[in-house]
Amino acid sequence: MAKKVVLAYSGGLDTSCIIPWLKDKGYETIAVIGDVGQGGDFEKVKEKALKSGATKAYCLNLQKELIEDYAFLALKAGALYEGKYNLACALSRPVIAKHQAEIAIKEKADALAHGCTGKGNDQVRFETTFRLMAPQLEIIAPVRIWEFKTREEEMDYAKKKGVPVAVTKKSPYSIDTNVYGRAIECGILENPWNEPPEDIYALTVSPLKAPNKPTYIELDFVKGLPKKINGKSYGSVEIVKALNEIGGKNGVGRVDMIENRLVGIKSRENYENPAGTILHTALNDLESLVLDRETLHYKPQLSQKYAEMIYYGLWFTPLKEQLDAYFNKVHENTTGTVRLKLYKGNCTVVGRKSPYSRYKEKLATYGKGDVFDQKLAAGFNALWATPFMK
Ligand code: ARG
């Protein structure tokens, strides 16, 4: 009897070729398609998996889970890898891998497979989750070991095996998309000196083509979670989509960076994440209004750690969970409204308010109604320098 393998399937050339390739090695494949908001016709993707030889194909809508149980935790953590990347792709991997492992257990499968290369981060995110969720299962990464050196060789193999081959021209870029953002690499972007051409972008207009008038929005947060835009309530996925739309129209959310991959190499990656940019900017500002100084200065150290853990595929680990408890505590009072101005690629906070504000105008003012006792400052100043005086 053939052994059973559960494959994370995208419908692309690689994962389609993996199905007959695994068959040659004595496995029957169950394809799992994760709808994380990449778009496309999932009925067609399922059909393609079956035509390529899969015995079964699951399609799971994981958008809500991705946003509520992963992306919003990362948002509350203020997690931006190397200070810039909102981790959209990195967050989607444990979601897909977890469901894949669950299906493998339900289907009594023998193995789990993914279509990642040996050079990227995604292999680590998949495999770490597999090993933590279903350690008894074999893990197969065909792309790391198979004989095909080029796309042409894969195409020939696909044709030979009856795998449907797309007639559309392949994009010169490697693109990964979900509701929380989009990543673009390869092609001419591999030279870090080359400016990203306009044709890499899909969610954002060029700031040059953005409206000449700013767009103002008011974002309401409750305990660190976004709830309303301009007074109107939204569901979690809906608010992200709406912010992608508003931000994208104003050219907000483009990131061009050289990042450090887990496997040791540097890579040039471009991102588009209008919603993530608006949300991080707004929440960060609300935090500065409601959190005390020590928390505000301490939290970013843990934000950096948390971002690294997501990037490194360590979602389902004890420290990550402990950090969530910390960030939840931090966000007990981040309830309030942030007013933002979106204009030609910029996202600027122009106002903030909260019932939990620690800002005391009576103490801060240089105008009327000042209650700050300036006489106390003399003693404060005298003592402050004491530890450093010889
Ligand atoms: N560098 C990002 C990460 O490791 C994105 C990976 C996928 N990027 C791509 N363009 N296919 O999370």
Side-chain angles (χ1 to χ4, degrees):
M1 218 175 65
K3 287 208 262 180
K4 254 193 221 173
V5 55
V6 176
L7 167 70
Y9 183 74
S10 70
L13 182 63
D14 287 345
T15 51
S16 296
C17 284
I18 286 177
I19 301 173
W21 187 89
L22 283 169
K23 195 168 187 178
D24 285 345
K25 303 274 179 290
Y27 292 87
E28 68 154 274
T29 301
I30 296 173
V32 173
I33 303 145
D35 171 4
V36 285
Q38 65 272 50
D41 181 339
F42 290 103
E43 275 317 307
K44 286 221 175 91
V45 179
K46 250 167 115 169
E47 206 180 288
K48 187 169 177 187
L50 297 171
K51 278 197 183 140
S52 306
T55 51
K56 223 180 197 180
Y58 286 84
C59 180
L60 313 169
N61 185 338
L62 305 175
Q63 295 189 32
K64 190 161 184 272
E65 195 174 329
L66 170 63
I67 294 301
E68 289 182 4
D69 301 343
Y70 295 76
F72 281 177
L73 274 62
L75 172 66
K76 289 208 279 185
L80 293 171
Y81 185 66
E82 297 184 339
K84 287 181 162 181
Y85 166 37
N86 83 333
L87 295 153
C89 310
L91 288 159
S92 74
R93 302 309 181 222
V95 192
I96 299 167
K98 172 178 175 264
H99 284 277
Q100 208 187 330
E102 281 167 7
I103 287 174
I105 291 165
K106 191 181 90 186
E107 293 279 356
K108 300 195 170 44
D110 306 278
L112 286 157
H114 62 74
C116 308
T117 72
K119 291 175 82 165
N121 302 306
D122 287 333
Q123 54 174 345
V124 184
R125 298 168 186 154
F126 272 105
E127 293 193 28
T128 306
T129 306
F130 292 164
R131 287 191 168 87
L132 296 176
M133 296 280 157
Q136 69 281 16
L137 301 184
E138 183 193 356
I139 295 173
I140 314 173
V143 176
R144 288 201 302 240
I145 50 175
W146 67 18
E147 53 279 25
F148 315 121
K149 297 269 178 299
T150 62
R151 206 176 148 76
E152 286 63 43
E153 287 177 31
E154 270 184 66
M155 298 269 251
D156 289 342
Y157 177 78
K159 283 181 195 140
K160 204 171 80 198
K161 293 290 182 180
V163 168
V165 176
V167 282
T168 49
K169 222 172 122 244
K170 166 111 173 80
S171 146
Y173 309 110
S174 161
I175 295 170
D176 188 85
T177 310
N178 65 53
V179 263
Y180 201 50
R182 187 166 174 272
I184 313 106
E185 61 182 339
C186 300
I188 68 153
L189 299 170
E190 283 180 357
N191 180 343
W193 184 248
N194 287 340
E195 181 175 350
E198 264 319 300
D199 71 355
I200 70 164
Y201 300 108
L203 304 178
T204 55
V205 303
S206 161
L208 285 171
K209 297 226 168 103
N212 289 323
K213 258 180 38 206
T215 303
Y216 286 91
I217 56 167
E218 285 186 15
L219 254 184
D220 282 12
F221 288 88
V222 175
K223 295 187 190 293
L225 294 175
K227 296 290 183 191
K228 290 183 188 172
I229 305 173
N230 296 332
K232 187 173 162 226
S233 296
Y234 286 81
S236 54
V237 175
E238 289 64 38
I239 205 161
V240 168
K241 286 187 175 164
L243 291 173
N244 273 334
E245 180 84 28
I246 304 168
K249 277 192 184 143
N250 286 284
V252 167
R254 292 185 174 185
V255 174
D256 177 3
M257 69 188 282
I258 305 296
E259 75 187 33
N260 287 285
R261 284 195 197 162
L262 185 47
V263 292
I265 55 180
K266 286 188 192 292
S267 69
R268 202 273 185 93
E269 191 81 72
N270 279 264
Y271 298 104
E272 287 185 284
N273 63 332
T277 304
I278 296 171
L279 288 169
H280 274 279
T281 305
L283 185 58
N284 189 270
D285 195 276
L286 186 58
E287 286 173 16
S288 63
L289 187 68
V290 303
L291 297 179
D292 66 283
R293 182 184 67 200
E294 295 311 304
T295 307
L296 263 174
H297 293 183
Y298 185 73
K299 179 178 170 265
Q301 299 172 40
L302 299 187
S303 302
Q304 195 196 334
K305 181 72 193 170
Y306 195 95
E308 276 173 16
M309 293 190 77
I310 297 172
Y311 195 85
Y312 297 171
L314 301 176
W315 186 263
F316 295 106
T317 61
L319 178 59
K320 193 253 141 207
E321 249 182 59
Q322 293 154 22
L323 290 175
D324 280 327
Y326 167 78
F327 291 117
N328 278 332
K329 183 78 188 161
V330 166
H331 283 290
E332 272 178 346
N333 291 333
T334 30
T335 296
T337 307
V338 180
R339 188 156 186 265
L340 298 123
K341 179 177 173 177
L342 311 176
Y343 181 61
K344 291 194 182 290
N346 294 302
C347 168
T348 328
V349 175
V350 293
R352 67 291 276 163
K353 60 180 180 186
S354 164
Y356 303 101
S357 170
R358 285 177 189 271
Y359 179 83
K360 297 183 181 72
E361 203 166 342
K362 274 197 198 132
L363 290 177
T365 184
Y366 287 95
K368 270 210 321 261
D370 183 9
V371 298
F372 191 102
D373 185 350
Q374 297 209 30
K375 287 194 293 297
L376 293 176
F380 175 80
N381 274 288
L383 292 176
W384 183 244
T386 307
F388 315 109
M389 289 166 70
K390 294 220 176 85

